[in-house]
Protein backbone atom coordinates (compact mmCIF):
# COMPACT_ATOMS: atom_id res chain seq x y z
CA UNK A 1 0.00 0.00 0.00
CA UNK A 2 1.18 3.49 -0.70
CA UNK A 3 0.95 6.39 1.70
CA UNK A 4 -1.80 8.97 1.32
CA UNK A 5 -0.84 12.03 -0.69
CA UNK A 6 -2.50 15.16 -2.02
CA UNK A 7 -2.53 16.15 -5.65
CA UNK A 8 -1.42 19.73 -6.14
CA UNK A 9 -0.91 19.84 -9.90
CA UNK A 10 -1.78 17.99 -13.07
CA UNK A 11 -3.15 18.45 -16.54
CA UNK A 12 -6.40 20.31 -17.09
CA UNK A 13 -9.30 18.12 -18.13
CA UNK A 14 -10.58 19.02 -21.58
CA UNK A 15 -7.56 21.09 -22.58
CA UNK A 16 -6.08 20.39 -26.01
CA UNK A 17 -2.60 19.67 -24.67
CA UNK A 18 -3.76 17.46 -21.77
CA UNK A 19 -3.74 14.10 -23.63
CA UNK A 20 -0.31 14.79 -25.11
CA UNK A 21 1.20 15.88 -21.79
CA UNK A 22 -0.38 12.88 -20.04
CA UNK A 23 1.11 10.50 -22.63
CA UNK A 24 4.56 12.05 -22.30
CA UNK A 25 4.44 11.72 -18.52
CA UNK A 26 2.96 8.23 -18.48
CA UNK A 27 5.33 6.87 -21.13
CA UNK A 28 8.28 7.38 -18.81
CA UNK A 29 6.46 5.65 -15.93
CA UNK A 30 5.32 2.73 -18.10
CA UNK A 31 8.90 2.25 -19.31
CA UNK A 32 10.12 2.24 -15.68
CA UNK A 33 7.54 -0.41 -14.82
CA UNK A 34 8.57 -2.50 -17.84
CA UNK A 35 12.25 -2.25 -16.84
CA UNK A 36 11.41 -3.42 -13.32
CA UNK A 37 10.10 -6.74 -14.73
CA UNK A 38 7.71 -7.13 -11.76
CA UNK A 39 4.54 -7.52 -13.85
CA UNK A 40 3.07 -10.46 -15.73
CA UNK A 41 4.98 -11.96 -18.64
CA UNK A 42 3.99 -13.53 -21.94
CA UNK A 43 7.02 -15.47 -23.03
CA UNK A 44 9.95 -13.09 -22.62
CA UNK A 45 7.76 -9.98 -22.99
CA UNK A 46 6.80 -8.04 -19.86
CA UNK A 47 3.07 -7.26 -19.94
CA UNK A 48 2.62 -5.70 -16.53
CA UNK A 49 1.25 -2.25 -17.30
CA UNK A 50 -0.96 -0.90 -20.04
CA UNK A 51 -2.09 2.64 -20.75
CA UNK A 52 -4.90 3.85 -22.97
CA UNK A 53 -6.16 7.43 -23.08
CA UNK A 54 -6.20 8.40 -19.39
CA UNK A 55 -6.47 4.87 -18.00
CA UNK A 56 -3.67 2.67 -16.70
CA UNK A 57 -3.94 -1.01 -15.80
CA UNK A 58 -1.25 -2.96 -13.95
CA UNK A 59 -1.14 -6.75 -13.82
CA UNK A 60 1.05 -8.84 -11.54
CA UNK A 61 1.26 -12.53 -10.68
CA UNK A 62 1.37 -11.98 -6.90
CA UNK A 63 0.66 -9.55 -4.10
CA UNK A 64 4.40 -8.92 -3.66
CA UNK A 65 4.83 -8.18 -7.37
CA UNK A 66 2.00 -5.63 -7.48
CA UNK A 67 3.37 -4.03 -4.29
CA UNK A 68 6.77 -3.77 -5.96
CA UNK A 69 5.12 -2.12 -8.97
CA UNK A 70 3.36 0.36 -6.67
CA UNK A 71 6.72 1.09 -5.05
CA UNK A 72 8.13 1.90 -8.51
CA UNK A 73 5.19 4.29 -9.04
CA UNK A 74 5.71 5.88 -5.65
CA UNK A 75 9.43 6.44 -6.32
CA UNK A 76 8.63 7.84 -9.77
CA UNK A 77 6.10 10.27 -8.29
CA UNK A 78 8.52 11.38 -5.59
CA UNK A 79 11.24 12.10 -8.16
Amino acid sequence: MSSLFTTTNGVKQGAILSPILFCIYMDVLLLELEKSKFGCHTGSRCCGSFGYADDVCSLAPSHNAIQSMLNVCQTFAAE
Side-chain angles (χ1 to χ4, degrees):
M1 298 185 107
S2 64
S3 304
L4 292 176
F5 61 93
T6 58
T7 305
T8 57
N9 57 20
V11 294
K12 184 177 178 183
Q13 186 172 357
I16 299 221
L17 274 179
S18 293
I20 295 166
L21 295 174
F22 181 79
C23 287
I24 291 169
Y25 181 81
M26 289 307 297
D27 188 52
V28 178
L29 175 58
L30 292 174
L31 288 172
E32 283 294 313
L33 288 167
E34 183 177 10
K35 278 194 320 189
S36 76
K37 305 232 186 260
F38 288 122
C40 290
H41 291 80
T42 301
S44 62
R45 180 139 177 112
C46 184
C47 302
S49 295
F50 301 93
Y52 181 76
D54 62 350
D55 296 318
V56 177
C57 175
S58 293
L59 304 171
S62 68
H63 176 269
N64 289 336
I66 196 71
Q67 184 61 57
S68 295
M69 292 175 77
L70 288 172
N71 292 343
V72 169
C73 294
Q74 185 175 10
T75 301
F76 180 81
E79 291 173 355

